Amino acid sequence: MSDININELAETINNKADRNLQNTSDNIDYVVERYQDGTTWYRLYKSGWVEQGGRGTSSGVGFTTITLPKEMANTNYTLLNCNNRPSAAGDQRDAYIISTTQIGIGSDGCIPIWYVCGQAK
């Protein structure tokens, strides 16, 4: 049985974990930038792909305009919306893309939870 040098093992692991990933194969995507402020967040990947989302606040009846923390390359991105209560007749729960920087979500007194993914600008 051989002895394990804990300090040497820790240094080896740290060197691997802190290695710059720029020399990684082009077909491997990884997060290069993260952001979170309260319930709004995004993850930007090396390829330019971005995932972002958040939880809005109730603004009563009507639509809430949300400004995305990371601008999208164009308006061909995916928008998903979920609300924190079951839909009732007459509720406005639609979600729509306004621009590369804004989305609109029907609030109707509930709290909108949103997720956007696509290519960042």
Side-chain angles (χ1 to χ4, degrees):
M1 183 162 158
S2 65
D3 292 336
I4 296 174
N5 183 328
I6 296 298
N7 291 331
E8 185 178 309
L9 179 62
E11 183 177 335
T12 300
I13 291 170
N14 281 338
N15 287 339
K16 289 183 185 288
D18 292 339
R19 188 171 290 156
N20 185 334
L21 297 175
Q22 288 181 334
N23 62 353
T24 304
S25 174
D26 286 340
N27 64 349
I28 297 175
D29 210 4
Y30 54 89
V31 175
V32 295
E33 185 178 322
R34 295 173 194 264
Y35 168 85
Q36 182 166 3
D37 183 12
T39 60
T40 302
W41 59 273
Y42 73 77
R43 287 187 298 259
L44 177 65
Y45 292 80
K46 177 185 84 163
S47 64
W49 183 262
V50 65
E51 296 178 291
Q52 50 189 326
R55 182 179 174 126
T57 58
S58 174
S59 64
V61 177
F63 282 91
T64 299
T65 300
I66 296 171
T67 300
L68 302 174
K70 197 70 166 172
E71 184 174 1
M72 304 304 285
N74 53 49
T75 56
N76 297 324
Y77 57 88
T78 299
L79 165 61
L80 301 174
N81 174 41
C82 175
N83 291 288
N84 68 341
R85 67 182 176 130
S87 182
D91 279 358
Q92 295 180 358
R93 304 273 174 109
D94 295 334
Y96 60 98
I97 295 168
I98 297 173
S99 68
T100 58
T101 59
Q102 291 186 321
I103 58 174
I105 296 178
S107 56
D108 236 10
C110 60
I111 298 172
I113 301 167
W114 57 274
Y115 172 83
V116 166
C117 64
Q119 205 61 31
K121 182 170 184 183

